[in-house]
Amino acid sequence: YMDVDLALGLVRGIDGTTFTITVQTGQQEPRELTITRKTTNPQMVFTDMLDEQIGYINIVEFSGDVATSFANALLTMEKEKAKGAVVDLRGLQRGNMSNVVEVLDLLLPEGEIAYVMSKGGKGTVWATTQTNPNTLPLTIIVDEQTTGVSEVFAAVLQEKGRASIVGQIQQEKPI
């Protein structure tokens, strides 16, 4: 048997290149499989309608094409004639600030949304540029596992009066 991290290191590589693995199931003879590497883009946003008026948007991670997926989710809500949507951030611990800003840009008018100070004392201003943001009423669900940039996302929308928050974010560390 091989350590998972070692196996992942051997499997990862440049798109289009191949690798060969040997697999054995049960009492069968081992066999070799040649696999071609290909980058995958995991789905970052899932949507549904909770009822005829309320949409549901679950963000898995603030990365990749999350802003495009979120925009498509908003379009789906519009087509379904939703009167509001629940944005589920429970358990969301991963992502980066630039992706958060891309999603916030869909929801907030042009303006400064956050100022982040690095450990070295350098500050970064994050701002939205949207002149015609989506106005669907939002409720954000969080829990103790909602951390990092997800906390920033929820806090900015609440502070700007754009969404209400349901749930409790971990309070032991500053965001």
Side-chain angles (χ1 to χ4, degrees), residues 33-53:
L33 297 174
T34 300
I35 300 171
T36 303
R37 292 178 179 96
K38 183 172 191 268
T39 301
T40 60
N41 292 317
Q43 188 172 348
M44 297 298 161
V45 176
F46 294 87
T47 61
D48 197 5
M49 290 297 291
L50 297 176
D51 62 25
E52 294 169 1
Q53 296 184 349

Side-chain angles (χ1 to χ4, degrees), residues 2 7 16 34 41 47 59-60 65 71-72 80 86 94 104 112 149 156-157 170:
M2 183 182 293
T34 300
N41 292 317
T47 61
I59 299 176
V60 176
D65 65 351
N72 289 336
E80 296 289 333
V86 174
R94 299 178 56 174
L104 288 172
E112 185 176 316
V149 295
V156 166
L157 289 175
Q170 184 179 16

Side-chain angles (χ1 to χ4, degrees), residues 95-132:
N96 62 66
M97 189 63 182
S98 60
N99 289 110
V100 166
V101 173
E102 289 175 358
V103 175
L104 288 172
D105 200 43
L106 301 168
L107 302 170
L108 295 171
E110 182 177 1
E112 185 176 316
I113 56 170
Y115 181 81
V116 179
M117 179 74 73
S118 69
K119 289 181 183 178
K122 183 177 181 242
T124 303
V125 174
W126 295 94
T128 55
T129 59
Q130 183 64 255
T131 56
N132 189 22

Side-chain angles (χ1 to χ4, degrees), residues 13-40:
I14 299 171
D15 276 6
T17 60
T18 60
F19 64 96
T20 302
I21 60 171
T22 303
V23 295
Q24 181 178 8
T25 56
Q27 301 299 322
Q28 294 180 354
E29 288 294 315
R31 60 186 175 167
E32 288 191 348
L33 297 174
T34 300
I35 300 171
T36 303
R37 292 178 179 96
K38 183 172 191 268
T39 301
T40 60

